[in-house]
Amino acid sequence: MPLRQRPRDHRRTWLPDRRVLTALVLVLIVLITVVDILSPPHIHLGPLLIVAPALTASFAGARGTAAVALLAIAALTVIGVARDGLTTANHQTQLGAQLVVSVLIVGLRVLRDRHERELARVRTVSEAAQRVLLRPLPEQIGPLHLASVYLAAEAEAQVGGDLYAAARTATGTRLLVGDVRGKGLSSLGDAALLLGAFRAAAHLHAELPELAAYLDGSVSWDLAQLAEQSRQARLLPSPSPEVVGASSEDTGESFITAVLLDIPDDGTEVSLIDCGHPPPLLLRPDGVTTVAARRPAPPLGLGELAPTRYEVEVFPFVPGDRLLIYTDGVIEARNAQRRFYPLEERVTAWLGDRPAALLQHLRRDLLGYVGGHLDDDAAIVLVERLPDDGASRFRLPLRTRTQPQPQTQAQPRPPADTG
């Protein structure tokens, strides 16, 4: 099957070197000066020198812009001396206008530099928050190979409401991939709540339905607290209409779609609970299959709509198989013709690639499809079961999870646990 041509990453732009641009500006100053001096007396090109600091402000800082502005003023002074018009009202007016506009340009550049420094600090903080909130998945956990990609709709924030996490248990690995309603910074609170609850309880609940019920209860409790805060805000003497309206909207429509996976170290199956989330894709060398739950549950936070017990779906997952888990920001991405991204069709081109390479191809292809900017956050996790060469070695004995007991010389060492 021939490989389709992949669109390039439209977010990459080419910019000339700053030294080249500076040289071009200096050449422009010299060219305008020489042409003005050689022109007839009734032709005045000196006012065009203001273009030099204006262009410099687009790629250089405030100091560089100020230096070029001074050079342009000096060049205009040289023109006046060469044409014996330095003391004329016309030339003095030109110098005054050049000085005023140059000061304005440098001042705007100073404000822009300050804004860029603030934006750099915000990005640094958001990257740190992302590393704390959305911890990178390990490349290998137990008998599984993991790879992940996260694309935030708000490029400045680099973090949003999509989430994923992995946790080891005594018998296998549990995975969570979720999507908070909304996007960007406004959804961080719900994402942090769900991730914290999953990391705390993933190894405490033996059954997957119990874990799903616990996560739903945690999200529902948090939404109930927000609803109570909104009700109390409405009782204040002069509540802010914007704050009350936003709080009411968030508490009334907040929920989290999620997929919970339980993958035992020993076995050829995967257990899944789908809480209103897009179904994963099972990738095999012979094609792609949708792993759709027959009885999906409502999203987390809507527990009152859920059945009395979450239904677990079991699917084959043998060594060499891969599961592609994603959020709706991937399949709801649209191109210029407003067509949705055909994930299942596109991913077939890279079935032979390693997990990390496959996701990088998918990332570039997705960004190229939408023109470089997503309207919603997108997260993709790829899970591959490694060949079975003794997967039981990945299981930790239960006693290693507790404080070891002190031993004396009179006590024989217990036999090693080979299970």
Side-chain angles (χ1 to χ4, degrees):
M1 181 178 62
L3 295 178
R4 66 172 58 89
Q5 186 176 2
R6 305 175 181 83
R8 62 181 177 88
D9 190 343
H10 290 268
R11 297 198 302 181
R12 296 179 180 177
T13 57
W14 180 84
L15 289 176
D17 187 85
R18 182 175 299 182
R19 292 173 296 183
V20 175
L21 294 175
T22 303
L24 291 177
V25 169
L26 296 179
V27 170
L28 180 63
I29 292 175
V30 173
L31 182 62
I32 293 176
T33 303
V34 172
V35 172
D36 195 325
I37 293 174
L38 298 179
S39 298
H42 63 279
I43 296 178
H44 301 279
L45 302 179
L48 294 178
L49 289 169
I50 195 60
V51 174
L55 291 177
T56 306
S58 65
F59 62 86
R63 293 183 179 179
T65 303
V68 171
L70 292 176
L71 286 176
I73 293 174
L76 189 58
T77 304
V78 170
I79 292 174
V81 172
R83 302 186 64 167
D84 297 327
L86 185 60
T87 59
T88 63
N90 181 37
H91 200 79
Q92 290 178 355
T93 302
Q94 293 180 19
L95 282 173
Q98 183 91 2
L99 179 61
V100 171
V101 177
S102 297
V103 170
L104 179 61
I105 292 174
V106 173
L108 293 176
R109 182 66 236 195
V110 170
L111 294 178
R112 180 177 175 180
D113 288 347
R114 183 179 304 172
H115 173 72
E116 290 179 349
R117 288 193 297 268
E118 293 176 353
L119 182 58
R121 287 195 293 267
V122 169
R123 286 177 174 172
T124 301
V125 172
S126 68
E127 290 173 359
Q130 185 183 35
R131 287 192 295 268
V132 173
L133 175 63
L134 200 63
R135 302 172 188 170
L137 295 177
E139 184 177 352
Q140 181 173 343
I141 180 170
L144 304 177
H145 190 173
L146 305 181
S148 62
V149 167
Y150 191 97
L151 296 171
E154 298 182 7
E156 291 80 6
Q158 300 184 5
V159 65
D162 290 4
L163 55 98
Y164 49 75
R168 289 287 289 162
T169 67
T171 58
T173 302
R174 282 178 171 170
L175 289 170
L176 168 68
V177 177
D179 183 5
V180 180
R181 174 193 170 270
K183 63 181 180 180
L185 298 177
S186 61
S187 56
L188 280 181
D190 292 337
L193 171 74
L194 181 58
L195 286 172
F198 174 78
R199 289 164 181 157
H203 63 285
L204 298 178
H205 297 277
E207 301 294 333
L208 202 59
E210 296 177 1
L211 176 60
Y214 173 82
L215 297 179
D216 177 79
S218 299
V219 175
S220 299
W221 179 86
D222 183 68
L223 295 181
Q225 296 299 310
L226 290 177
E228 177 64 20
Q229 293 175 6
S230 177
R231 186 187 67 82
Q232 294 179 359
R234 286 193 293 269
L235 297 178
L236 293 175
S238 300
S240 171
E242 294 81 2
V243 173
V244 172
S247 301
S248 301
E249 180 183 359
D250 291 343
T251 55
E253 301 181 9
S254 293
F255 56 83
I256 305 176
T257 66
V259 168
L260 277 171
L261 300 174
D262 196 351
I263 308 176
D265 290 343
D266 292 336
T268 57
E269 295 177 334
V270 56
S271 299
L272 177 146
I273 292 180
D274 190 333
C275 300
H277 200 79
L281 298 179
L282 179 62
L283 310 184
R284 287 175 172 166
D286 57 350
V288 180
T289 305
T290 301
V291 183
R294 290 169 295 181
R295 296 176 295 276
L300 301 177
L302 304 178
E304 66 276 5
L305 303 178
T308 56
R309 179 178 173 84
Y310 286 89
E311 298 291 339
V312 178
E313 307 278 353
V314 180
F315 299 92
F317 191 54
V318 300
D321 285 354
R322 298 174 176 179
L323 274 176
L324 185 71
I325 316 161
Y326 52 92
T327 59
D328 59 7
V330 177
I331 56 176
E332 293 181 0
R334 295 173 182 260
N335 61 5
Q337 290 74 39
R338 307 304 296 169
R339 295 191 181 95
F340 291 114
Y341 182 72
L343 175 62
E344 186 172 347
E345 173 188 343
R346 296 293 184 116
V347 77
T348 57
W350 311 297
L351 293 180
D353 294 344
R354 295 180 59 84
L358 188 151
L359 289 194
Q360 288 304 314
H361 286 309
L362 184 57
R363 174 185 178 275
R364 287 193 293 267
D365 189 65
L366 176 61
L367 291 175
Y369 188 83
V370 300
H373 176 73
L374 292 172
D375 294 328
D376 193 9
D377 304 322
I380 311 173
V381 176
L382 184 61
V383 185
E384 178 184 20
R385 183 184 282 278
L386 298 174
D388 187 8
D389 53 354
S392 60
R393 73 181 187 276
F394 297 107
R395 289 200 310 244
L396 296 178
L398 292 180
R399 69 165 180 269
T400 63
R401 304 173 66 90
T402 60
Q403 184 68 24
Q405 299 295 326
Q407 298 180 359
T408 64
Q409 296 293 334
Q411 295 178 335
R413 181 182 297 273
D417 188 352
T418 59

